[in-house]
């Protein structure tokens, strides 16, 4: 195992979203923190925002061990609840024998769910607009720790539905609602309204936005990607085409920002492409614990092999 040194004066961290694929980012960050990595600020969207919040509050409460424990607790809760299973159960009632039911980890089942959501929308399957992440975040989020003066700077982005612009929530502003807004996939959950403004997933406006981090004039930027930049083959089915369009759209903003990084800034990135090979885009809905553990292990391996900077 190659241990890395991140000894810059000011280090910032960017965490992509990707639903269940965020377990890859969890693995990378777990390995880095174990090896002594520390950051002065972090920006995240969607599952990256949830991971960032857990890491920051864990660092405040218990240092490196606290951060690793807090991240693990969150993902353990996600896996134990298999958070998208309630939607799959509803779909099975609407389309008996559709193959979703209890075997939601099955790729065909996930593709069926995605197709049904594209056709009918989320309302028939989630009429009350329930978000299974809400009780998990209500139990785990420590707003006092996030607001502690010693806490790393935390930026969580959500996308305003009507303007398409990113709203950046900072340490004291980060609530359960802000994190749900940052991770709100509109095909699955209703928009989250904060201060009269409706928000969707932050990845639509930046995955994640780098501007808040670059404004701090950092010496080192570490980016952990949790989505595929490349995917072999040309899709022909409507659902596959829409999924690939979304993947490309989620990468466009971050690619543009990475192309314009200031000179002299050291940049390290960890990519999930290899870990996601062969997985359908719909696998981002797969919160089965075995699947999350597989991505976590892949992330750990990636975090232990990057070159020293």
């Amino acid at each position: 195992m190659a241990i890395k040194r991140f000894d810059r004066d000011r280090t910032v961290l960017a965490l992509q979203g990707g639903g269940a694929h965020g377990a890859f980012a969890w693995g990378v960050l777990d390995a880095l923190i174990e090896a002594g990595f520390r950051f002065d600020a972090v920006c995240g969207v969607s599952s990256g925002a949830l991971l960032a919040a857990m890491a920051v509050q864990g660092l405040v409460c218990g240092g490196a061990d606290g951060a690793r424990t807090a991240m693990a607790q969150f993902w353990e809760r996600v896996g134990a609840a298999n958070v998208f299973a309630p939607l799959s159960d509803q779909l099975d009632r609407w389309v008996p024998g559709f193959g979703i039911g209890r075997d939601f980890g099955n790729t065909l089942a996930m593709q069926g769910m995605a197709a049904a959501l594209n056709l009918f929308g989320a309302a028939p399957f989630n009429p009350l607009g329930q978000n299974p992440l809400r009780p998990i975040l209500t139990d785990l989020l420590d707003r006092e720790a996030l607001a502690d003066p010693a806490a790393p700077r935390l930026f969580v982005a959500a996308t305003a539905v009507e303007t398409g612009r990113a709203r950046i929530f900072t340490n004291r502003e980060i609530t359960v609602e802000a994190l749900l807004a940052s991770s709100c996939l509109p095909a699955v959950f209703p928009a989250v309204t904060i201060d009269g403004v409706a928000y969707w997933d932050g990845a639509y406006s930046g995955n994640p936005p780098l501007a808040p981090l670059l404004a701090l004039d950092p010496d080192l930027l570490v980016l952990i990607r949790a989505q595929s930049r490349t995917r072999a083959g040309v899709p022909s089915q409507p659902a596959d085409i829409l999924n690939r369009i979304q993947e490309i759209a989620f990468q466009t903003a971050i690619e543009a920002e990475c192309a314009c990084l200031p000179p002299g800034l050291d940049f390290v990135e960890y990519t999930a492409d290899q870990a996601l090979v062969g997985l359908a885009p719909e696998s981002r809905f797969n919160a089965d614990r075995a699947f999350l553990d597989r991505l976590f292990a892949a992330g750990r391996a990636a975090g232990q092999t990057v070159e020293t900077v």
Side-chain angles (χ1 to χ4, degrees), residues 23 43 46 49 61 176 238 246 262 267 296:
C43 183
S46 196
C61 296
V176 169
Q246 178 169 277
F267 176 53
F296 171 75

Side-chain angles (χ1 to χ4, degrees), residues 9 29 41-42 49 63 67 77 82 87 96 115 147 166-167 182 221 224 233-234 260 268 275 284 288 293:
D9 291 335
L29 190 53
V42 54
R77 289 284 299 271
N82 201 346
L87 285 177
R167 173 172 174 182
S182 183
L221 167 64
I224 303 178
V234 178
C260 299
V268 175
R284 65 185 181 274
D288 178 75
D293 286 344

Side-chain angles (χ1 to χ4, degrees), residues 129-261:
Q130 296 176 337
N131 191 320
L133 289 171
R134 183 182 296 279
I136 296 174
L137 292 173
T138 298
D139 287 347
L140 296 182
L141 188 65
D142 187 343
R143 295 191 64 197
E144 289 187 8
L146 296 182
D148 191 286
R153 299 281 297 277
L154 175 57
F155 304 100
V156 166
T159 304
V161 177
E162 294 181 278
T163 67
R165 296 176 179 171
R167 173 172 174 182
I168 305 297
F169 297 88
T170 58
N171 294 61
R172 292 184 179 276
E173 300 171 310
I174 293 170
T175 62
V176 169
E177 294 303 311
L179 292 175
L180 292 179
S182 183
S183 55
C184 177
L185 292 172
V188 182
F189 305 114
V192 177
T193 300
I194 300 173
D195 299 330
V197 178
Y199 293 98
W200 283 342
D201 195 297
Y204 291 111
S205 52
N207 195 16
L210 298 183
L213 299 175
L214 297 179
L216 301 176
D217 192 24
D219 301 297
L220 171 66
L221 167 64
V222 177
L223 168 63
I224 303 178
R225 297 179 183 266
Q227 293 188 341
S228 295
R229 284 185 294 179
T230 62
R231 182 174 292 278
V234 178
S236 59
Q237 298 302 310
D240 295 331
I241 292 170
L242 287 173
N243 272 317
R244 184 58 183 149
I245 288 172
Q246 178 169 277
E247 284 184 330
I248 293 170
F250 276 169
Q251 299 289 0
T252 299
I254 186 72
E255 294 295 345
E257 288 191 283
C258 286
C260 299
L261 293 177

